[in-house]
Amino acid sequence: MSSCVFCAIVDGTAPAVRVLEDDDVVAFLDIRPVARGHTLVVPRTHAARLEDLDPAAGAAMFRAGQRIARALARSELSTDGTNLVLNDGRAAFQTVFHAHLHVVPRWSGDRLRLGVGLLRRQSHDPESTAALIRDGLDRLTAEEHS
């Protein structure tokens, strides 16, 4: 996928400051970090969205994200916490359409505000919402078995 900057980073034709790589993922520092140590974990195989991502590749991506989060806490950056963020789709602020995980270091008292819209939560008819999700799961199961 020549037009995908993350694919170019994975294959070594675009620059990146790599922090971890294995057979499944490449992790590198974000070029526009929201915090020092902000790292992106990218599956080696291109998948534009979460919908397209092989579950095993997704599991490898989250394993690497957890490992990096643990490393950040043990490093001289001495983080107090971590946000693992996956923006899936334009409506969710995805800007590079190669599924990827943001590992965002956090410190007590930092001023980073990721959850601004998440703080005022209201229940939106939980029973009908759950029914809609279960219906979607049934449809997904049917697709997988057809």
Side-chain angles (χ1 to χ4, degrees), residues 65-80:
Q66 180 190 31
R67 184 162 179 78
I68 292 165
R70 294 175 68 211
L72 285 163
R74 287 161 177 79
S75 75
E76 288 191 29
L77 292 172
S78 192
T79 57
D80 296 317

Side-chain angles (χ1 to χ4, degrees), residues 29-74:
L29 295 180
D30 193 302
I31 61 169
R32 291 188 304 264
V34 297
R36 185 174 184 200
H38 178 175
T39 302
L40 302 179
V41 182
V42 177
R44 286 188 178 274
T45 304
H46 182 83
R49 302 253 328 258
L50 192 56
E51 169 84 11
D52 309 312
L53 185 63
D54 177 78
M61 182 173 66
F62 273 90
R63 275 193 304 276
Q66 180 190 31
R67 184 162 179 78
I68 292 165
R70 294 175 68 211
L72 285 163
R74 287 161 177 79

